[in-house]
Amino acid sequence: MDHRIVCFMPSYNLFSQGYPFLEVIYSSLFVCDKMYIFDGSSDETSKILSMLRNERIKIARMEWNFTQRNTRRGEVIAEMSNRMIDQIIRMEKENTPKTFIYYIQANEVFHEDTYAQIRSIPDAYPGYRGYLLYYYGFYGHILRGEQFRLRMAPLSKNVRAIHDGWTLNVFGGFLESLKRTIRHEAGMLLRYGKLNDFLWIGNAMYRYVYTKKPIFRYSLIFRNIVAKKIQTHKIMFKSGAFEQLLDVSTLDNISDDQFWMELVKISTKVQGKGKKEFPQLNVSLDEHPKIMRDILGLREYKIRDEIVKEINTLSDVSD
């Protein structure tokens, strides 16, 4: 492979919110040549990140500025992510022609069966402006939904995080994609005597990629810390919709199964449905990434010294 994949991850009070960020970093190092972490935390997260000594991890301080405007719909996350992209472009400018950026959030874990496949995407599907990968979303052990997210693209100033930072977009390139689509449709007309069923220019711009296993996104995972995460998101999103989630998150007289089911029910009501909903589907433990299996079912996030050691001893991704 002659391309490089540079990953970046925003970081804000990850430890106190129960993000499994060390496990995310560990799995990311099997996909990324380099990983940038931009941290604006005021809790123990910064101290924990300072324990990481892998030369492929670059940690920088970046203050998160919460304003009336950027907290209306969680846009502060996209705003900070775009500042990170701009910084990476400046730092990676010598390698930009063959560099791809991958946007990782601190609750998204790659499955070990997909490391090589994800690294090979730019070679397997060359010429696209962006790649959408397949994600599973979990509340506890319950699969809440699935969706494609545009998270990988050739590194350029046209790559932007959008909305509340949930995905990327790649601006520009419409005319080139239109030309490519016209050439394709002309070939269809000459060969088959008719145009394709759908003239969708986006097909010439973006590639949807199914991996052997989805990327596992643990939206809420540690029961005792759920309330803290929801409180932080209330600040980021300035939304009363989180009040109902907060009411459920403080319940202590129900079982874990009931707890997560109630959160799924309320979140579907206040946040709306995703592409598909699976409010009663459990994914067996052995289907999850190996790095996550020992902590699924715990009520609090605990820093595992062995994971820190593994991160610090991982060599180059091509080894």
Side-chain angles (χ1 to χ4, degrees), residues 161-178:
I162 59 173
H163 306 310
D164 62 353
W166 77 277
T167 193
L168 298 175
N169 199 356
V170 185
F171 294 92
F174 178 82
L175 291 179
E176 179 59 34
S177 297
L178 178 60

Side-chain angles (χ1 to χ4, degrees), residues 112-280:
E112 60 274 5
D113 289 350
T114 66
Y115 295 157
Q117 183 182 5
I118 294 173
R119 278 194 56 75
S120 69
I121 285 174
D123 289 338
Y125 310 108
Y128 287 93
R129 293 180 59 79
Y131 303 92
L132 293 92
L133 284 84
Y134 193 54
Y135 284 74
Y136 271 0
F138 290 88
Y139 275 20
H141 59 279
I142 298 175
L143 180 57
R144 183 193 184 279
E146 62 174 358
Q147 63 186 175
F148 282 95
R149 295 184 176 222
L150 200 167
R151 291 299 187 81
M152 181 190 287
L155 179 60
S156 79
K157 63 182 180 180
N158 294 321
V159 179
R160 299 284 93 179
I162 59 173
H163 306 310
D164 62 353
W166 77 277
T167 193
L168 298 175
N169 199 356
V170 185
F171 294 92
F174 178 82
L175 291 179
E176 179 59 34
S177 297
L178 178 60
K179 292 177 184 177
R180 186 184 302 180
T181 303
I182 291 173
R183 287 197 297 269
H184 172 76
E185 295 300 320
M188 291 288 293
L189 188 62
L190 289 172
R191 186 169 182 176
Y192 300 107
K194 63 178 182 178
L195 296 176
N196 199 8
D197 291 337
F198 296 97
L199 184 61
W200 185 27
I201 295 174
N203 284 339
M205 299 176 69
Y206 302 112
R207 176 77 190 199
Y208 288 77
V209 182
Y210 276 101
T211 48
K212 296 176 182 177
K213 295 288 178 65
I215 297 162
F216 285 68
R217 177 179 170 83
Y218 299 95
S219 299
L220 297 170
I221 179 174
F222 303 107
R223 177 171 175 173
N224 289 356
I225 313 179
V226 167
K228 176 63 177 177
K229 181 175 182 180
I230 294 174
Q231 287 170 341
T232 303
H233 276 57
K234 278 181 60 181
I235 297 172
M236 289 183 176
F237 286 79
K238 283 287 192 295
S239 172
F242 288 95
E243 288 292 346
Q244 295 181 61
L245 285 171
L246 193 58
D247 290 342
V248 176
S249 70
T250 57
L251 293 177
D252 57 8
N253 59 345
I254 58 176
S255 69
D256 284 351
D257 284 345
Q258 291 174 310
F259 177 81
W260 295 118
M261 286 297 294
E262 282 298 313
L263 278 178
V264 169
K265 186 189 305 181
I266 297 300
S267 69
T268 301
K269 177 182 176 182
V270 302
Q271 296 178 341
K273 294 185 176 182
K275 181 181 177 183
K276 290 184 180 179
E277 298 296 320
F278 303 98
Q280 299 193 10

Side-chain angles (χ1 to χ4, degrees), residues 76-132:
V76 62
I77 304 172
E79 181 180 294
M80 298 306 299
S81 298
N82 289 328
R83 285 177 57 191
M84 297 173 200
I85 294 171
D86 292 339
Q87 181 72 4
I88 291 170
I89 290 172
R90 289 192 289 269
M91 299 172 74
E92 295 284 333
K93 59 183 178 181
E94 294 181 2
N95 300 304
T96 299
K98 296 183 178 180
T99 299
F100 290 77
I101 195 166
Y102 199 114
Y103 174 28
I104 296 171
Q105 294 191 340
N107 55 3
E108 298 169 346
V109 181
F110 296 111
H111 194 284
E112 60 274 5
D113 289 350
T114 66
Y115 295 157
Q117 183 182 5
I118 294 173
R119 278 194 56 75
S120 69
I121 285 174
D123 289 338
Y125 310 108
Y128 287 93
R129 293 180 59 79
Y131 303 92
L132 293 92

Side-chain angles (χ1 to χ4, degrees), residues 11-56:
S11 170
Y12 181 78
N13 290 356
L14 302 179
F15 179 71
S16 60
Q17 294 186 74
Y19 282 86
F21 63 101
L22 288 180
E23 288 72 17
V24 171
I25 293 169
Y26 172 84
S27 74
S28 299
L29 288 175
F30 288 93
V31 172
C32 315
D33 293 280
K34 187 181 292 184
M35 184 171 190
Y36 289 94
I37 301 170
F38 295 88
D39 180 48
S41 301
S42 58
D43 65 355
E44 295 180 61
T45 303
S46 299
K47 181 179 178 181
I48 296 166
L49 289 174
S50 70
M51 298 163 57
L52 304 183
R53 298 285 189 270
N54 192 306
E55 64 180 12
R56 291 196 285 128

